[in-house]
Amino acid sequence: IFPVSIVVGQAVSDDRSVFVAVITDTTAQVAAEEERHQLDQLLRDAVDSLSEGFALYDADDRLVICNERYRDYHQIASDILEPGVEWSELIRQEARRGLYPAAEGRVDEWVRNWIKARRTSKSPLEYGRADGRWFIGSNRKTRQGGAVVTLNEITELKDREAELREAHELLEDAIDSLSEGFALWDEDDQLVMCNQTYRDFNERCVDILKPGVKWLDFIRTGAERGQYADAVGRIDEWLEQSIKDRRALRANHEYEISDGRWCIGSNRSTRHGGIVVTRIDITDRKRMEKALQESEAFNRQVLDSCPVAVQMTQTETGKVVYRSPASAALFGQGDGEGDTYASNFFVDQLDFHDCIDRLRLDGQFDDVRVQMRRRDGSSFWGSISAKRVTYQGEDFTVSTTFDMTERLE
């Protein structure tokens, strides 16, 4: 048994009808047709097995074939998604049915722009839809002038990107809210990020303080523009020391900025080989320290100028921590070996302990007369006034001694 094709014709000869039949063996043709059918089915199965949406459009941009995933992605226009539909008509109908938020109120303009982008873009196109899904599509020309369209859903990727972006923005907001300057440099010493306070500290070279700038280029520019007071007139030497400090991860390094502000900086390494830099404005503290130093210098100058002997001692031990010139002239400078104690100034140690007891009880006393010992070893009657004070958390006694010799004579 084999397949045949029969062609029958009728002819009239000598008033007689004659039927002529041509019988052709079509085994090869049927086999070829079956093979084409199998190949077509195989192709369709292969296309449907793709994880991405797939469609083939002909040279007139009409649909030839697509897989189920592609149909799922265009479900809103499933009624027209059949072979022969033009691609532009497909997206126009989808836009009119509200699938693309960007096309709302301007469908025709949006379709024209999308057609242009599809023809000119050399990279895949991303787009979001009203249902919240995101896709990335690519178009590749065929040799016959058609186009192979592939679509991949990237909604999860977009969601993760949004989460990462939100987390990054949250981190940036947190870092920007810090009162201290903050900067992160990667393992190649390139800037990753910094906050506004850090930019304020580096206002003379803020124009280059952008992600990717090299740390050495950044501080060299700052030094050349006079940003660092200590670098003026000695940039190369200053840079060399700055590099050493950075390599040593120097912490709590104080330096002055050219505008008169003071900073304290620290460098800490990250697990990935980068460096976190922090800068704190200590200008107010420096001003207070300077004011305190000036005040202490002034007070010392006043005390040094006072004709009365003034001493400052530790209350409990009697150890002398300060003596005015008048006190040193009266009691001497000590032997230079070890500490000097106020008890050495008293002839009778009972008088010294009595003074300590008064201080413990009342916190102060005035005009207590006791015999005391001069620097040459001679004794004299002295009048002592003293008061307990707290300085830097310690208990001290400030006292004055007046030589009563001339008055008693």
Side-chain angles (χ1 to χ4, degrees), residues 266-283:
S266 294
N267 300 293
R268 295 178 177 86
S269 61
T270 68
R271 287 177 294 180
H272 302 290
I275 293 179
V276 170
V277 178
T278 56
R279 296 287 183 265
I280 301 175
D281 191 332
I282 57 171
T283 305

Side-chain angles (χ1 to χ4, degrees), residues 315-316 346 349-370 381-389 395-399:
T315 300
E316 292 301 320
F346 290 77
Q349 292 300 300
L350 292 177
D351 290 336
F352 169 72
H353 291 294
D354 180 61
C355 289
I356 295 298
D357 290 340
R358 287 171 181 259
L359 287 170
R360 288 173 177 164
L361 182 63
D362 301 322
Q364 67 179 50
F365 61 80
D366 295 307
D367 195 23
V368 174
R369 299 185 181 186
V370 296
W381 282 95
S383 172
I384 304 176
S385 296
K387 184 175 182 178
R388 291 175 67 178
V389 297
D395 189 15
F396 292 94
T397 296
V398 177
S399 63

Side-chain angles (χ1 to χ4, degrees), residues 185-305:
W185 303 83
D186 65 18
E187 65 275 13
D188 296 320
D189 245 356
Q190 293 180 323
L191 181 65
V192 177
M193 65 185 303
C194 66
N195 65 0
Q196 186 59 46
T197 306
Y198 191 83
R199 295 187 187 94
D200 292 341
F201 282 138
N202 299 279
E203 57 184 11
R204 292 202 178 186
C205 51
V206 71
D207 57 309
I208 67 168
L209 192 56
K210 299 176 182 178
V213 66
K214 286 280 190 178
W215 173 80
L216 185 58
D217 295 336
F218 163 66
I219 65 163
R220 183 187 298 277
T221 300
E224 291 171 347
R225 295 179 182 180
Q227 180 163 280
Y228 311 107
D230 196 38
V232 175
R234 49 187 291 272
I235 291 179
D236 290 339
E237 180 184 350
W238 180 85
L239 284 173
E240 183 178 351
Q241 184 60 49
S242 297
I243 293 172
K244 290 181 180 178
D245 291 342
R246 186 174 179 81
R247 288 174 179 169
L249 296 177
R250 185 178 178 185
N252 300 324
H253 168 56
E254 297 182 3
Y255 66 95
E256 184 181 9
I257 305 176
S258 58
D259 61 5
R261 288 183 296 167
W262 278 85
C263 300
I264 183 170
S266 294
N267 300 293
R268 295 178 177 86
S269 61
T270 68
R271 287 177 294 180
H272 302 290
I275 293 179
V276 170
V277 178
T278 56
R279 296 287 183 265
I280 301 175
D281 191 332
I282 57 171
T283 305
D284 290 341
R285 193 193 81 186
K286 281 291 186 178
R287 288 172 180 167
M288 291 177 61
E289 288 178 353
K290 183 179 180 181
L292 181 60
Q293 290 170 357
E294 291 175 349
S295 176
E296 289 178 344
F298 176 74
N299 291 337
R300 182 175 289 272
Q301 185 178 5
V302 170
L303 291 173
D304 286 349
S305 302

Side-chain angles (χ1 to χ4, degrees), residues 99-120:
L99 188 60
Y100 306 110
E104 186 175 354
R106 48 186 287 269
V107 171
D108 291 338
E109 179 188 358
W110 181 85
V111 170
R112 286 194 300 271
N113 293 338
W114 196 241
I115 291 173
K116 181 180 179 181
R118 181 170 178 250
R119 290 173 178 172
T120 59

Side-chain angles (χ1 to χ4, degrees), residues 29-49:
Q29 292 155 321
V30 170
E33 185 65 27
E34 180 65 24
E35 184 178 359
R36 281 194 298 271
H37 176 73
Q38 291 179 354
L39 287 175
D40 181 67
Q41 189 59 48
L42 181 63
L43 174 61
R44 290 180 179 276
D45 290 345
V47 168
D48 276 334
S49 70

Side-chain angles (χ1 to χ4, degrees), residues 52 118 123-125 136-140 148-152:
E52 57 192 3
R118 181 170 178 250
S123 57
L125 299 173
I136 183 170
S138 64
N139 295 270
R140 296 179 178 86
V148 171
V149 178
T150 56
L151 287 178
N152 279 291

